[in-house]
Amino acid sequence: MAVVAESLALHKSAALKQIAHDAAKAASGAYQAVVGIPYVGPFLAPPAAALAYAATMAFGTSMSAAGV
């Protein structure tokens, strides 16, 4: 059983790292997509990036302590 628990913990850790990486890419993409809008883009880009990051990171909260 200890091997299974350790394997699940490693899998969860790897999944959370991947989600964090994907969240950073999503934030970067959202910023890049919005910043070029004339006049308002520079003001809207930071909140858009933050929203994309938070929304992507929310996928990690669904992982329970019992495993993925």
Side-chain angles (χ1 to χ4, degrees), residues 14-30 49-60 63:
L16 289 174
K17 286 180 183 178
Q18 184 62 46
I19 290 170
H21 181 262
D22 292 343
K25 286 177 54 178
S28 174
L51 181 62
Y53 184 84
T56 307
M57 287 300 289
F59 288 109
M63 294 184 179

Side-chain angles (χ1 to χ4, degrees), residues 27 29-49:
Y31 189 95
Q32 184 65 31
V34 175
V35 77
I37 299 172
Y39 304 111
V40 296
F43 299 103
L44 296 177

